[in-house]
Amino acid sequence: MNLLVLGCLWGDEAKAKVVQHYLEHHDVVVRFQGGANAGHTVYLEDSSKLVLHSIPVGIICEDKTVVIAAGCLVNPETLIEEIKELEFRGINVMSRLKIYSNTTITTDFEVVLDRAREAFLSSGSSKIGTTGRGIGPSYSNRAYRTSILFEDLFDRFGLAEKVRALSKDMNPRINSYGAEEVDPETVFEKLHKCSKTLSGLMVHPNYVYSLIERQNNILFEGAQGGLLCLTNGSYPYVTSSSVHPASASISSNIPMKSINKVVGVLKAYPTRVGEGPFPTQISAVKEEALRKIGNEYGATTGRPRKCGWPDLPIASYVGRLFGIDEFALTCLDTLCEFSKQTGSIKICDSYEISGRKIICSESASASYLSRVKPIYSEFDLGCDCAGVSRIEDLPFKATNFMNIIENATGIPVKLISTGPLRENVIVL
Ligand code: IMP
């Protein structure tokens, strides 16, 4: 069984915890999009916290192989830092991490351009609020066909030429945003140095296909979330890769029919970092209370996350269009505690747009989401479900909340997360 786990909202849905739950039944874990913009937090056996950015969560299990497929971005320097940190904590990475030869490399050129452009736009409405990891420029270069690929790192002369070409293309753009040009020699030296560490990790683009042929069970690990999808999310306030399950097939170079099931990770309340419309955003005082209870600060950038009321039209949109077979409902304990402390919560059952009532959003684009008016009902979710691991022990109010989601979306909830630790889950 090949399973795909993806986030249904604006990222930070606790996907890593859900991936961790499914690890047991899979041999290989594949990241298929995004780069070091992701921040996947897991708690290890000894309850210590680990945040992964580029390396798939499967690395925490000694018997799993983990793969970074072609649709991802690899920043060799930050990847090596991540590898070192894992190895320092006793996790063996070098024999288990594989990287597709045709994966795009992020260099200082892309990182500097990303940050310079965001700084330049910071006064206007076109600022995206990126993570500053060079994501947009790296994917643009891929489309522009000027990228350095992972395999290029191991061809010294070819690499020098590609860096020179990239410099000619990127430095004038970096300059136009008022930032200092990046020295191509330094970029080359850094990449060449990194290539010595990374040389044993490269695999051909048929790697995952060949594992499937040999009856391995694959777990595809999505990054970011459905509403940050470049094509179907809240464009232009999105990331620069497609988050849709179909992108796992393209990125890993496997037929779409090889993906047997899609689990959508639905956080009990939406959160977002960065710019862009957020229809159900909670007013300031209550938002701050929820942020505190849920510790809603970005794992990659530390930015405070905006928090919203549960949004059923958007859950239905992602559920239908991304082909979600079942939901994993996360952070339910946080929302229950919030309701207990502050009174009832609101649930957005529908949107109103141009006098029409919408129960499944028709779009997630920024222009559409900025025009919808959320219609709410009140719900008392105040109860204590932290750490509950059996459905019989889940308070009635929490079960009711889950039923509301199932009825509105037509998608069953098959997993509930009731806390950060691995054992804080209810399997249905
Ligand atoms: P970029 O991916 O760094 O270009 O940022 C584009 C948008 O996606 C910004 O709003 C980021 O805050 C958001 N974003 C990117 N990665 C993540 C993530 O892993 N979690 C939440 N938001 C993210």
Side-chain angles (χ1 to χ4, degrees), residues 162-179:
K162 289 207 167 188
V163 170
R164 271 197 299 273
L166 200 53
S167 164
K168 271 195 192 144
D169 199 49
M170 299 289 287
N171 269 330
R173 288 159 69 195
I174 288 171
N175 226 270
S176 73
Y177 289 112

Side-chain angles (χ1 to χ4, degrees), residues 10-12 37-39 128-132 135-136 224 228 238-239 273-274 303:
W10 280 281
D12 308 316
N37 48 348
I128 302 297
T130 74
T131 58
I135 306 299
Q224 288 80 51
L228 289 173
V238 291
T239 191
V273 281
R303 291 179 288 180

Side-chain angles (χ1 to χ4, degrees), residues 2 90 110-111 171 175 195 216-217 230 232 275 295 329 341 352:
N2 301 322
E110 290 88 357
V111 174
N171 269 330
N175 226 270
S195 72
N216 282 273
N217 292 320
L230 175 64
N232 298 299
E275 307 302 316
N295 191 26
L329 180 63
Q341 286 185 20
E352 199 185 286

Side-chain angles (χ1 to χ4, degrees), residues 312-328:
L312 299 177
I314 214 67
S316 299
Y317 170 83
V318 175
R320 280 191 199 174
L321 298 178
F322 285 57
I324 307 289
D325 294 301
E326 49 191 62
F327 281 134

Side-chain angles (χ1 to χ4, degrees), residues 89-122:
R89 292 174 73 155
I91 298 171
N92 169 18
V93 182
M94 294 308 282
S95 63
R96 298 193 291 127
L97 172 63
K98 313 289 171 197
I99 302 176
Y100 271 32
S101 55
N102 52 342
T103 302
T104 305
I105 293 297
T106 295
T107 70
D108 286 350
F109 291 118
E110 290 88 357
V111 174
V112 171
L113 179 60
D114 189 15
R115 293 178 185 176
R117 189 170 179 276
E118 281 285 298
F120 181 82
L121 297 174
S122 66

Side-chain angles (χ1 to χ4, degrees), residues 65-303:
T65 297
V66 299
V67 181
I68 297 177
C72 295
L73 302 173
V74 164
N75 180 326
E77 276 190 297
T78 58
L79 178 70
I80 290 173
E81 275 168 30
E82 203 170 321
I83 293 173
K84 278 191 183 150
E85 194 200 325
L86 289 168
E87 300 232 325
F88 177 75
R89 292 174 73 155
I91 298 171
N92 169 18
V93 182
M94 294 308 282
S95 63
R96 298 193 291 127
L97 172 63
K98 313 289 171 197
I99 302 176
Y100 271 32
S101 55
N102 52 342
T103 302
T104 305
I105 293 297
T106 295
T107 70
D108 286 350
F109 291 118
E110 290 88 357
V111 174
V112 171
L113 179 60
D114 189 15
R115 293 178 185 176
R117 189 170 179 276
E118 281 285 298
F120 181 82
L121 297 174
S122 66
S123 50
S125 61
S126 20
K127 185 185 174 210
I128 302 297
T130 74
T131 58
R133 301 294 190 271
I135 306 299
S138 299
Y139 279 118
S140 319
N141 284 348
R142 179 80 190 209
Y144 205 42
R145 287 145 296 177
T146 51
S147 295
I148 293 171
L149 303 186
F150 190 61
E151 64 187 4
D152 296 329
L153 296 183
F154 312 106
D155 164 15
R156 193 186 165 120
F157 296 106
L159 179 64
E161 212 164 288
K162 289 207 167 188
V163 170
R164 271 197 299 273
L166 200 53
S167 164
K168 271 195 192 144
D169 199 49
M170 299 289 287
N171 269 330
R173 288 159 69 195
I174 288 171
N175 226 270
S176 73
Y177 289 112
E180 214 171 290
E181 291 191 357
V182 174
D183 173 30
E185 274 308 307
T186 312
V187 172
F188 171 76
E189 287 307 331
K190 280 186 187 176
L191 293 178
H192 183 58
K193 188 169 166 223
C194 291
S195 72
K196 292 177 186 148
T197 309
L198 301 176
S199 63
L201 307 183
M202 187 166 77
V203 291
H204 289 302
N206 71 341
Y207 186 69
V208 174
Y209 184 88
S210 65
L211 291 174
I212 292 174
E213 260 189 331
R214 281 183 269 136
Q215 313 301 323
N216 282 273
N217 292 320
I218 317 289
L219 179 51
F220 295 94
E221 175 185 325
Q224 288 80 51
L227 301 175
L228 289 173
C229 180
L230 175 64
T231 317
N232 298 299
S234 54
Y235 187 89
Y237 303 101
V238 291
T239 191
S240 300
S241 59
S242 171
V243 176
H244 195 284
S247 113
S249 157
I250 297 169
S251 168
S252 323
N253 209 7
I254 53 153
M256 281 203 291
K257 61 187 177 204
S258 306
I259 299 168
N260 308 112
K261 195 196 271 188
V262 179
V263 172
V265 185
L266 184 66
K267 194 172 182 175
Y269 52 96
T271 54
R272 88 171 292 180
V273 281
E275 307 302 316
F278 189 18
T280 67
Q281 185 170 2
I282 302 173
S283 55
V285 176
K286 284 199 169 182
E287 185 189 39
E288 183 54 25
L290 182 52
R291 184 178 297 128
K292 269 212 180 106
I293 299 169
N295 191 26
E296 294 293 355
Y297 296 90
T300 300
T301 58
R303 291 179 288 180

